[in-house]
Amino acid sequence: MYAVRMIVEHAAFTIAEADAEKFEAAYAEAKELLAQTEGFEWAHLHRGVERPTGYLLLVGWASLEAHTVNFRESDRFPKWRALIGPYFAADPTVEHYREV
């Protein structure tokens, strides 16, 4: 029998250096919207060392549907994007991973 394992969302953002502090402050507020979602486990935001305009967001979800349905189809998602979206210098890339 296959055991259900956590899904890790990998989201890569490009943020102009001039907007970095504002983005990080907006993310701190937006993270609370993630945390209110059924199936949310944890979230960690990292800033690039060699490329400080690059941010990596890793989010642990109990299932793929916890992200794609419980969060993305909720009223929290547009609020999330309204908080952090204005700081995107390029479209983010989002992928999901499972442990092997």
Side-chain angles (χ1 to χ4, degrees):
M1 175 179 231
Y2 179 76
V4 177
R5 295 190 177 130
M6 180 185 312
I7 294 294
V8 176
E9 172 192 358
H10 170 285
F13 306 127
T14 300
I15 308 297
E17 284 194 64
D19 290 333
E21 285 185 31
K22 292 181 275 186
F23 168 73
E24 291 173 15
Y27 168 77
E29 186 177 343
K31 182 179 177 181
E32 295 304 315
L33 295 167
L34 290 174
Q36 296 168 14
T37 304
E38 181 181 346
F40 169 84
E41 300 287 335
W42 49 263
H44 302 286
L45 181 66
H46 305 268
R47 187 171 183 188
V49 175
E50 292 81 10
R51 190 176 58 87
T53 59
Y55 284 82
L56 174 62
L57 174 63
L58 300 173
V59 183
W61 297 101
S63 66
L64 181 62
E65 293 74 21
H67 178 226
T68 60
V69 176
N70 297 358
F71 181 64
R72 282 276 182 105
E73 293 183 11
S74 75
D75 63 347
R76 289 178 304 282
F77 182 69
K79 294 173 186 175
W80 158 268
R81 284 302 290 254
L83 286 167
I84 65 170
Y87 303 107
F88 294 166
D91 289 337
T93 59
V94 178
E95 297 177 315
H96 298 93
Y97 293 83
R98 63 176 173 78
E99 184 178 354
V100 295

